[in-house]
Amino acid sequence: MSAPPTVRTVAELRGRVAEWRSAGERVALVPTMGALHAGHITLLDVARVHADRVVASIFVNPTQFAPHEDFDRYPRDEATDADKLAAGACDLLYAPAAAEMYPEGDATRVTVSAVSEPLEGAFRPHFFAGVATVVAKLLIQAQADVAVFGEKDYQQLLVIRRMVRDLAIPTQIVGGPIVREPDGLALSSRNAYLSPAERATAVTLNAALRALAQDARSGRPLDEAETAARDALLAAGFGPVDYVEVRRADDLARFDGAGDGPCRALGAAWLGRTRLIDNVAV
Ligand code: AMP
């Protein structure tokens, strides 16, 4: 497969999508920030199950980074990404410039309360308003039937589902499975920041979350199990640990006992200058 055609404006994007939809084809959108890996490619495959045409977007969204975060050093390589999209059978790449996403005088932000407040929201207070705003823009711009987001960013998926329901955006939101390295580390564009020693330590995040999930299933008191998971991360060389907790899967409220339905173990922790997140079903 050759690299998909690239469009950079809303008008071009809508033109392509309108052609497909008028021919009766269903269209899926897979939003990304580039630095593509097998996790992103899996989302394209999921999209293909739900649609005839698949659009990937690449946009490193400035509004979801705080000034002290890694916006400037976030990996950007559109040519390599386009080659990966060719292998992933994508029909169109939408790669807008910042001025297309945030036109001169842009003054609108989308905020989602409740589900965006704990966990990531507590440690990155700017983050979900940036995500909700850019995803709302992308969904309205693309007018796709379906959009696919990874469970890797589990809270983000819930925030987007809430936003789409509340704003009646007519796009079906589909979650895609977490793709991992053989040792369990979730693939992430940010893994490229890790030194070899940090990469060896990184595996502990998934191991600690799996142990926490197992403890929760077996009825160990949660405070104790969460403390053990935190201690395991610190002992392995992580630090600080932002959170490592069991929450209800549908709204991320605190998990209070067996009657609470499905839950999720979620964690975020630092390795040197790199912040890693992961989650597992309980
Ligand atoms: P990003 O480019 O990191 O902003 O992620 C774009 C999309 O890919 C989001 O929906 C992420 O949840 C998803 N994603 C990132 N890493 C993975 C992974 N390891 N497995 C599955 N989906 C992922």
Side-chain angles (χ1 to χ4, degrees):
M1 294 279 293
S2 54
T6 302
V7 293
R8 301 194 187 274
T9 65
V10 176
E12 293 169 293
L13 172 66
R14 284 202 175 147
R16 295 292 180 106
V17 171
E19 278 170 31
W20 290 329
R21 294 189 65 171
S22 65
E25 294 180 314
R26 272 170 68 80
V27 180
L29 175 69
V30 180
T32 81
M33 298 207 300
L36 300 179
H37 51 62
H40 298 115
I41 303 305
T42 295
L43 300 187
L44 297 175
D45 295 339
V46 171
R48 183 67 65 185
V49 172
H50 291 268
D52 307 294
R53 299 286 184 171
V54 176
V55 181
S57 66
I58 295 181
F59 181 64
V60 183
N61 174 36
T63 64
Q64 71 191 67
F65 292 80
H68 63 276
E69 292 183 343
D70 57 342
F71 177 72
D72 289 334
R73 69 183 183 121
Y74 198 85
R76 292 167 173 86
D77 183 354
E78 192 182 303
T80 303
D81 286 343
D83 289 343
K84 291 181 183 162
L85 290 175
C90 160
D91 295 289
L92 186 69
L93 169 60
Y94 176 49
E100 189 73 6
M101 295 304 288
Y102 295 98
E104 182 67 25
D106 176 85
T108 302
R109 291 292 175 272
V110 178
T111 59
V112 178
S113 54
V115 71
S116 70
E117 286 162 11
L119 307 175
E120 289 299 291
F123 287 90
R124 302 183 71 196
H126 57 282
F127 176 66
F128 283 123
V131 167
T133 299
V134 80
V135 172
K137 285 173 183 270
L138 288 167
L139 296 180
I140 292 166
Q141 290 172 352
Q143 309 192 321
D145 300 282
V146 181
V148 184
F149 297 86
E151 289 186 347
K152 160 81 181 354
D153 299 278
Y154 187 81
Q155 187 173 12
Q156 169 175 289
L157 176 60
L158 295 189
V159 168
I160 290 165
R161 285 191 197 282
R162 182 75 259 166
M163 174 187 77
V164 163
R165 277 203 294 271
D166 291 351
L167 300 181
I169 296 175
T171 304
Q172 180 193 353
I173 304 301
V174 171
I178 304 174
V179 178
R180 300 181 179 282
E181 300 283 4
D183 66 2
L185 176 66
L187 298 191
S188 166
S189 306
R190 289 189 168 98
N191 292 351
Y193 299 153
L194 299 173
S195 69
E198 289 168 343
R199 170 63 189 85
T201 303
V203 61
T204 307
L205 179 57
N206 181 245
L209 287 171
R210 280 189 286 116
L212 174 57
Q214 183 53 43
D215 282 351
R217 274 191 288 267
S218 65
R220 185 174 181 190
L222 271 191
D223 286 356
E224 195 184 300
E226 289 170 348
T227 300
R230 178 177 291 267
D231 288 348
L233 290 170
L234 293 171
F238 275 91
V241 176
D242 283 352
Y243 59 85
V244 54
E245 292 183 22
V246 175
R247 295 264 176 163
R248 285 196 331 212
D250 57 347
D251 62 1
L252 299 182
R254 283 294 296 172
F255 176 69
D256 289 328
D260 262 3
C263 40
R264 206 95 193 170
L266 307 102
W270 290 85
L271 259 183
R273 290 171 68 204
T274 306
R275 186 174 183 276
L276 298 180
I277 68 171
D278 195 2
N279 68 90
V280 304
V282 174

